[in-house]
Amino acid sequence: MENILSQVGKKLRESDYKLTPQREEILRVLIENQDKHLSAEEILGLVKEKSPEIGLATVYRTLEILYSLGLVHCMDFGDGRKRYEFELLESKSHQHHHLICLNCGKIEEIEEDLLEELEREVYKNKGFVVTNHQLKIYGFCRNCAPKKEGEI
């Protein structure tokens, strides 16, 4: 954790920003919850547990800075709320993909990247170099999917 914070602090300083105590707390929440897709309001709720003086405007400003530096991804899953996810500095590769349940709202990550063949075809046929992509698949999770006849 401290190594990541040090690296982020360096990247912030290189862009004329400081790693303030408030930004550090927001970063800690993002790093500790890398397996979740948190909204700014959810981040604020977690930050306030340790630093009740931090407000929503500070969270939004920090997320904008981190996004502009490529340290967080911002995603919209169609529920009217932007979700944020910390990007590890050493893992600058394709983003993972997401399964989004239309009933309960659960978001599950898919690590497999099945679009590499499509990228090659796009380059071959269109001369377009894909640098990244994001795939969102909407449907029903295991708990919400309609049961087929004969299933328990």
Side-chain angles (χ1 to χ4, degrees):
M1 167 82 76
E2 298 309 315
N3 183 38
I4 294 172
L5 288 171
S6 174
Q7 290 178 47
V8 171
K10 181 180 178 201
K11 187 152 177 107
L12 285 167
R13 285 188 299 281
E14 289 170 355
S15 299
D16 295 327
Y17 295 106
K18 294 179 183 174
L19 181 57
T20 64
Q22 296 87 348
R23 289 178 184 154
E24 185 173 327
E25 284 303 318
I26 293 165
L27 273 164
R28 284 183 186 278
V29 165
L30 288 166
I31 294 166
E32 290 168 359
N33 292 279
Q34 287 183 53
D35 60 331
K36 298 181 178 87
H37 305 88
L38 300 173
S39 68
E41 293 80 8
E42 291 168 328
I43 293 168
L44 177 64
L46 294 169
V47 165
K48 281 195 168 285
E49 292 175 9
K50 293 181 183 172
S51 301
E53 74 284 356
I54 295 177
L56 188 57
T58 300
V59 172
Y60 273 116
R61 279 193 304 273
T62 300
L63 290 171
E64 286 177 27
I65 291 167
L66 296 174
Y67 177 77
S68 72
L69 297 175
L71 296 170
V72 296
H73 290 296
C74 178
M75 295 160 280
D76 182 350
F77 294 117
D79 62 356
R81 301 167 80 187
K82 288 184 178 180
R83 310 264 178 179
Y84 299 89
E85 185 175 51
F86 182 73
E87 170 71 36
L88 288 173
L89 296 169
E90 61 272 0
S91 68
K92 293 287 185 186
S93 62
H94 282 324
Q95 294 184 30
H96 50 263
H97 308 300
H98 299 92
L99 301 174
I100 303 149
C101 181
L102 295 170
N103 187 50
C104 69
K106 178 181 176 185
I107 301 167
E108 190 174 341
E109 295 181 356
I110 307 172
E111 294 299 329
E112 298 87 0
D113 188 349
L114 305 175
L115 297 179
E116 290 177 354
E117 178 63 30
L118 177 61
E119 288 180 16
R120 285 190 287 276
E121 286 298 313
V122 165
Y123 178 73
K124 180 178 157 189
N125 295 329
K126 302 288 184 182
F128 187 86
V129 178
V130 177
T131 59
N132 206 346
H133 58 260
Q134 187 179 74
L135 178 65
K136 296 179 245 179
I137 302 173
Y138 296 89
F140 299 99
C141 69
R142 180 172 289 148
N143 295 330
C144 297
K147 303 293 183 227
K148 294 182 181 175
E149 223 174 284
E151 284 187 14
I152 298 177

